[in-house]
Amino acid sequence: MESISRVTSMLETARDLTLEAARDASFARKSSTRPLPPVQLKKLLDSRHDKEILDGLRKVLSMSYKHQPTLQYFSNIIKNIASPNLEIKKLVYAYLVQHAEEAPDTALLSINTIQKSLSDSNPQLRALALRTMSSIRVPVISQIVALGIKRGVGDMSPYVRKAAALAIPKCYRLDPSTMPLLVEHLSTLLGDKQYYVAGAAVMAFLELCPERMDLIHPHYRSLVRKIVDMDEWGQLATMRLMLLYARKSFPKRTKRVKKTKSVGDQERKPRKGFYDSESSEDEAGGASEEHGEEVLILDPDLDLFLRSIHPLLQSRTSAVIIAVARCYLYLGNTTYLDNAIGPLITLLRSAPDIQEVALYNIIQICLHYPQAFVSYASHFLVRATDSPSIQDLKLEILTLIFSYSPPTTRSLILAELSHFTTSSNPHLVRSAVQAIGRCAQSSPTTQLSTQCLKLLLKQLSSPDAHLVASSLDVIRHLIQRDPQAHVKTIVRLAKSLDALTAPAARASIIWLVGEFASVDPEHNIAADVLRILVKGYAGETDAVRAQTVLLAAKVYLQYLLATKKEDSVPEQPKNEDSTIEEGGWSPTATTPETSKLDSNHPIPLLYQHTLLLARYTPSYDLRDRARLYRSLLSTPTTSTALASLLLLADKPVPLAPSPSQSRKDFVLGSASLVIGEQSGTGGLKGYEALPPWVKEGEEPDPKLRDEVGGRGEYVSIGAAGGNVAGVSAGERLDGATGSKGGLGVGRVNGAGGKEKTLDDWLDEESEEEESSSGEEESGEEESEEESGVEYETESEEDNEGEEGRLVK
């Protein structure tokens, strides 16, 4: 019974405490939302109770965050800066940093109190005081801030040293004349043993003096080893620094790897003698150097950095993963870059904003190395929940890896794109059509190009005029690549002129007919198409009229060339007086060829009728074009060759580059890469391109990167310094004591380099016993022997390099 009563009493007590806490919380919530008058708020700030002061400070800071005027409480708040309560000091410091520029004279009154806090026993309070003093943007206190930084650099607490490192750029912005002193402090902090102090020092270095790479040489290897333990901001700053440092300190060395040869090539080689094998290998090596594949040779220190950042690919921060990929792309080889592909793909499962930025960076890598993403093609399939920008980026990646994919992956990509052409989203349909065109241009086989062309021809029946125009642009590019294989396609497009209403689409088809209809002279449909177009000339737009006039000029030029071949009349000597005037070509000159032309032939009549229609067109440009064609073709004998060069010359095949091709020069992970063309040719303000690789022979000495040991001796790691790593501290201590002639433990005896073994020590003891037995025979001889032993032992200690033994 007693236990039951005890349990019930405890439950009642807990219930009362819960109700009381809920009542206090509701009262505090109501009181916090209710604005207080300034008089009552000042009374809270001037109170002697910490609870009331904290309540007043919270209300004032909430008002300042809501952009309400709070400068009238400045003096009341500064009075509490000497409070022993740490929470009150934090709020006072926060208010002081916000309003110090508005009331600099009043803010200077608190500097002495902040300086006293630099000597406090609590390291958090010392770091807070240093951070606050450096954040007060009043130039008068720059020297005081510099002294505080000097004191913080030598502090025993790493938190204070980190605050000192972060305060260095702030002090420089207050007074640039303190630059030499701050650089000395920065050099000390870069070599700090604590990783979070070194990370803050790297951030300060990048802002203060990023060109002083001589400060990084002795701390390079220590920073590389600490990068794994730093926080995300320190890791980003250190990788950015190492990227610049590597470009300025390690030259780009490449070698050519011998290509593997087939068995048949090896069998065709004639057999040589034993001594001829070496010369044949040398010849093969020389040939491989000329025709082999270039491979990047990594410096040992650079390889150390690339290996040390490999664990950062498992970071929870997407910026760190992209930074590692940036270092691998611009510093390492494809082996390192392959390790970063998987973590980049995992970013596609993040939020939409991170996913979009990750896709921009993946495209940037794909422009340089598309083979790495072929196995991840299924991750770039468009989802229904994707935004339009993400859809465009995914389709662009699919087109970039299309030509490097196996046949199964290519069929998957084409099936995906053809499915999107039937979507109800017009933006997605247009993007899919453009993607099909890029796939067709990059396809290595004609079969895939034909398949892409069939998918594009299906879009001509679409009611979307922009879609039809974009499809025809892609079709035109494909036909220009191989006109002989697309003669029937041109005929099919000409038949679709009656159904098409989009001006851009009709203009593209007319240009195709005039450009490639003469490929097959037996089935030339250009004249028939011109006859049909002239009937509806008045109802066409200016773009279609211009292409119609151009088509008429090409048809008439082909008629002149055909007539000239049929007649095959040798050219008559030119009469300069009758054909050339002082001002140039005479449009009214007549030749025997022109008299032989049939004036009743339908093609010349059709050409003259088209020029007559263009003469009364309201467009100035179109009338000028008609005059140009009339004057160009008025004298067939003299201007046929020139007209052929202008009208029938082979046009270069246009290429549709990737939309991100203009961003290829931007650095991976930069904001200019995401913004693209809107940032301009030079990127956003503050954008810095990567420096070029240092030229071989101009790089700094690798010994500068040797770390300083405990006694000022340099200890190198790997092959860069010339010594072998892995020497223990005990061996180094034994070597140091032996070289100074101390106890001689572990010292090298003679030139043989052998240490004393247990047998040697036992032999010495037996010799000492024999010498002691000889002492009884003669005391004088004993003294002489002792003096001789001591003398010769000292001489051996003075001359360690000479061969000899102790006197027995």
Side-chain angles (χ1 to χ4, degrees):
M1 296 297 294
E2 292 180 359
S3 61
I4 295 175
S5 62
R6 188 179 302 173
V7 170
T8 53
S9 63
M10 292 174 63
L11 291 175
E12 291 178 357
T13 305
R15 178 176 176 274
D16 295 338
L17 291 175
T18 305
L19 293 175
E20 185 178 356
R23 193 183 307 110
D24 293 341
S26 61
F27 176 75
R29 193 182 299 111
K30 292 180 181 178
S31 61
S32 61
T33 55
R34 186 184 307 165
L36 292 177
V39 178
Q40 188 174 356
L41 196 54
K42 289 181 180 180
K43 189 179 293 185
L44 288 175
L45 295 173
D46 296 336
S47 176
R48 297 182 180 180
H49 302 285
D50 292 347
K51 185 178 180 181
E52 295 180 356
I53 296 174
L54 281 173
D55 190 17
L57 287 172
R58 291 187 184 116
K59 291 183 180 296
V60 172
L61 288 176
S62 64
M63 292 172 61
S64 64
Y65 291 143
K66 295 177 183 178
H67 302 286
Q68 297 179 4
T70 57
L71 189 60
Q72 54 182 335
Y73 308 109
F74 196 91
S75 58
N76 302 92
I77 293 177
I78 292 300
K79 293 178 183 178
N80 300 310
I81 197 170
S83 175
N85 193 336
L86 184 59
E87 296 297 328
I88 293 177
K89 278 197 171 186
K90 288 182 179 179
L91 295 178
V92 173
Y93 286 165
Y95 179 84
L96 179 62
V97 170
Q98 289 182 359
H99 299 82
E101 290 183 274
E102 300 177 7
D105 298 334
T106 311
L108 292 176
L109 300 175
S110 61
I111 297 299
N112 293 331
T113 307
I114 298 176
Q115 279 187 297
K116 291 179 182 179
S117 299
L118 294 175
S119 304
D120 196 271
S121 58
N122 188 358
Q124 293 183 356
L125 187 57
R126 296 199 302 269
L128 180 63
L130 181 57
R131 184 163 58 248
T132 304
M133 187 167 61
S134 61
S135 299
I136 297 176
R137 293 176 292 272
V138 179
V140 181
I141 64 171
S142 60
Q143 299 298 328
I144 301 176
V145 176
L147 293 176
I149 293 174
K150 182 179 180 181
R151 191 170 184 175
V153 169
D155 199 282
M156 295 296 294
S157 175
Y159 295 102
V160 183
R161 298 199 298 271
K162 179 180 179 181
L166 295 176
I168 287 177
K170 301 177 184 177
C171 182
Y172 174 73
R173 287 193 290 267
L174 285 177
D175 187 7
S177 63
T178 58
M179 177 76 170
L181 182 63
L182 296 178
V183 169
E184 294 181 5
H185 299 332
L186 191 59
S187 178
T188 305
L189 292 172
L190 285 171
D192 199 283
K193 295 181 179 180
Q194 295 294 333
Y195 54 88
Y196 39 85
V197 179
V202 169
M203 288 189 282
F205 174 83
L206 290 174
E207 188 172 352
L208 187 65
C209 52
E211 71 283 350
R212 291 288 304 274
M213 292 299 171
D214 56 317
L215 301 177
I216 308 297
H217 293 317
H219 309 297
Y220 172 80
R221 292 170 183 156
S222 63
L223 290 174
V224 166
R225 287 193 295 268
K226 295 171 189 171
I227 192 173
V228 181
D229 300 322
M230 294 180 183
D231 59 337
E232 286 85 352
W233 297 108
Q235 290 171 352
L236 291 173
T238 307
M239 282 189 282
R240 178 186 169 197
L241 172 63
M242 293 306 168
L243 182 60
L244 301 176
Y245 179 85
R247 284 294 190 114
K248 296 181 180 180
S249 301
F250 304 119
K252 187 177 181 180
R253 298 187 178 94
T254 58
K255 68 177 181 179
R256 292 188 178 272
V257 179
K258 184 178 180 180
K259 293 183 179 180
T260 58
K261 297 184 179 180
S262 61
V263 180
D265 295 338
Q266 295 178 359
E267 292 177 355
R268 293 192 199 101
K269 281 188 175 182
R271 293 184 179 181
K272 294 187 177 182
F274 178 77
Y275 294 100
D276 295 336
S277 60
E278 295 180 359
S279 61
S280 64
E281 290 179 358
D282 295 339
E283 292 175 1
S288 64
E289 290 180 359
E290 294 179 359
H291 305 287
E293 182 182 359
E294 286 192 359
V295 178
L296 184 66
I297 302 176
L298 297 179
D299 190 271
D301 284 329
L302 178 58
D303 186 65
L304 175 67
F305 166 65
L306 296 177
R307 284 188 284 106
S308 64
I309 63 177
H310 183 266
L312 300 183
L313 291 173
Q314 302 176 3
S315 176
R316 61 184 179 181
T317 306
S318 58
V320 176
I321 297 175
I322 293 176
V324 175
R326 178 173 63 241
C327 295
Y328 284 167
L329 177 63
Y330 298 118
L331 299 180
N333 48 26
T334 56
T335 305
Y336 283 106
L337 188 58
D338 289 336
N339 297 329
I341 302 303
L344 285 174
I345 297 298
T346 58
L347 296 180
L348 300 180
R349 304 173 186 172
S350 306
D353 52 347
I354 298 177
Q355 186 178 355
E356 184 174 356
V357 175
L359 286 171
Y360 276 111
N361 290 275
I362 288 174
I363 290 175
Q364 183 71 359
I365 299 177
C366 203
L367 291 173
H368 296 85
Y369 186 48
Q371 298 91 341
F373 296 94
V374 171
S375 58
Y376 300 97
S378 59
H379 293 78
F380 303 113
L381 300 180
V382 179
R383 299 180 180 179
T385 57
D386 291 338
S387 61
S389 58
I390 294 178
Q391 291 175 356
D392 294 341
L393 295 175
K394 286 186 175 181
L395 293 178
E396 184 177 357
I397 295 175
L398 291 177
T399 57
L400 288 174
I401 66 176
F402 180 80
S403 58
Y404 302 93
S405 303
T408 54
T409 307
R410 292 176 189 167
S411 60
L412 173 64
I413 294 174
L414 288 179
E416 185 80 2
L417 295 178
S418 62
H419 172 70
F420 293 141
T421 55
T422 59
S423 175
S424 59
N425 186 1
H427 176 78
L428 181 59
V429 173
R430 285 192 290 269
S431 301
V433 168
Q434 295 173 0
I436 292 173
R438 292 196 297 270
C439 289
Q441 289 184 357
S442 62
S443 60
T445 60
T446 57
Q447 182 179 2
L448 291 174
S449 300
T450 305
Q451 187 176 357
C452 295
L453 184 60
K454 291 180 181 179
L455 294 176
L456 293 172
L457 290 174
K458 294 179 181 179
Q459 307 303 322
L460 298 180
S461 60
S462 175
D464 189 356
H466 297 284
L467 174 61
V468 175
S470 59
S471 301
L472 278 172
D473 287 339
V474 178
I475 292 171
R476 179 166 57 89
H477 296 168
L478 296 178
I479 292 176
Q480 283 188 258
R481 293 178 60 186
D482 189 8
Q484 299 288 344
H486 297 90
V487 176
K488 295 182 179 180
T489 305
I490 297 174
V491 176
R492 180 178 175 181
L493 291 175
K495 291 180 180 179
S496 63
L497 276 174
D498 296 335
L500 290 178
T501 56
R506 293 176 63 84
S508 298
I509 293 176
I510 296 171
W511 184 87
L512 283 172
V513 171
E515 189 69 21
F516 301 110
S518 60
V519 174
D520 188 7
E522 297 180 358
H523 302 86
N524 195 342
I525 61 172
D528 294 331
V529 173
L530 177 62
R531 177 177 56 81
I532 297 172
L533 291 173
V534 167
K535 295 179 180 179
Y537 183 87
E540 300 289 352
T541 59
D542 290 341
V544 180
R545 290 174 181 174
Q547 293 299 329
T548 304
V549 174
L550 178 60
L551 177 62
K554 290 180 179 179
V555 170
Y556 183 61
L557 177 60
Q558 292 172 2
Y559 167 73
L560 293 178
L561 294 175
T563 306
K564 189 174 182 180
K565 290 181 180 179
E566 291 177 358
D567 296 339
S568 65
V569 179
E571 294 185 0
Q572 300 293 333
K574 297 180 181 179
N575 187 3
E576 297 181 358
D577 296 336
S578 61
T579 57
I580 301 178
E581 295 180 350
E582 295 181 358
W585 298 101
S586 176
T588 59
T590 59
T591 59
E593 281 76 11
T594 56
S595 61
K596 292 182 180 180
L597 293 177
D598 188 4
S599 59
N600 295 325
H601 196 277
I603 290 181
L605 295 177
L606 195 59
Y607 169 68
Q608 296 295 336
H609 180 66
T610 306
L611 294 183
L612 187 62
L613 291 174
R615 180 179 181 183
Y616 298 99
T617 304
S619 175
Y620 291 98
D621 180 63
L622 190 55
R623 294 203 297 268
D624 292 339
R625 286 171 183 255
R627 294 191 191 97
L628 173 64
Y629 299 147
R630 178 182 287 109
S631 60
L632 185 62
L633 299 174
S634 59
T635 55
T637 304
T638 56
S639 60
T640 303
L642 180 61
S644 300
L645 289 176
L646 292 177
L647 300 179
L648 301 181
D650 293 335
K651 309 301 188 297
V653 179
L655 296 176
S658 181
S660 299
Q661 193 69 30
S662 59
R663 314 181 187 185
K664 189 176 181 179
D665 296 332
F666 290 129
V667 180
L668 187 73
S670 61
S672 301
L673 176 64
V674 178
I675 296 176
E677 298 178 353
Q678 299 177 3
S679 59
T681 56
L684 295 173
K685 184 179 180 181
Y687 170 79
E688 295 180 0
L690 281 179
W693 291 90
V694 64
K695 295 182 180 179
E696 192 167 0
E698 299 180 1
E699 71 273 11
D701 190 0
K703 294 182 180 179
L704 295 174
R705 290 187 288 275
D706 294 343
E707 299 182 38
V708 181
R711 295 188 177 184
E713 299 176 354
Y714 286 93
V715 181
S716 62
I717 298 177
N723 297 329
V724 180
V727 181
S728 63
E731 294 176 353
R732 275 184 272 165
L733 181 60
D734 293 341
T737 54
S739 61
K740 293 184 179 181
L743 298 176
V745 180
R747 193 172 42 148
V748 179
N749 292 331
K754 297 182 180 180
E755 297 182 358
K756 288 184 179 181
T757 61
L758 182 60
D759 296 334
D760 297 336
W761 291 107
L762 293 176
D763 292 340
E764 288 183 1
E765 290 179 359
S766 62
E767 291 172 1
E768 290 177 359
E769 291 178 358
E770 293 177 358
S771 63
S772 62
S773 62
E775 290 177 358
E776 298 176 356
E777 297 179 357
S778 173
E780 296 178 358
E781 294 179 359
E782 179 182 1
S783 62
E784 291 177 0
E785 289 177 358
E786 289 177 355
S787 62
V789 170
E790 291 177 357
Y791 177 76
E792 294 193 9
T793 305
E794 291 176 357
S795 65
E796 281 194 13
E797 291 176 355
D798 294 336
N799 302 320
E800 291 186 45
E802 300 179 359
E803 297 183 356
R805 295 177 298 174
L806 293 173
V807 177
K808 297 183 181 180

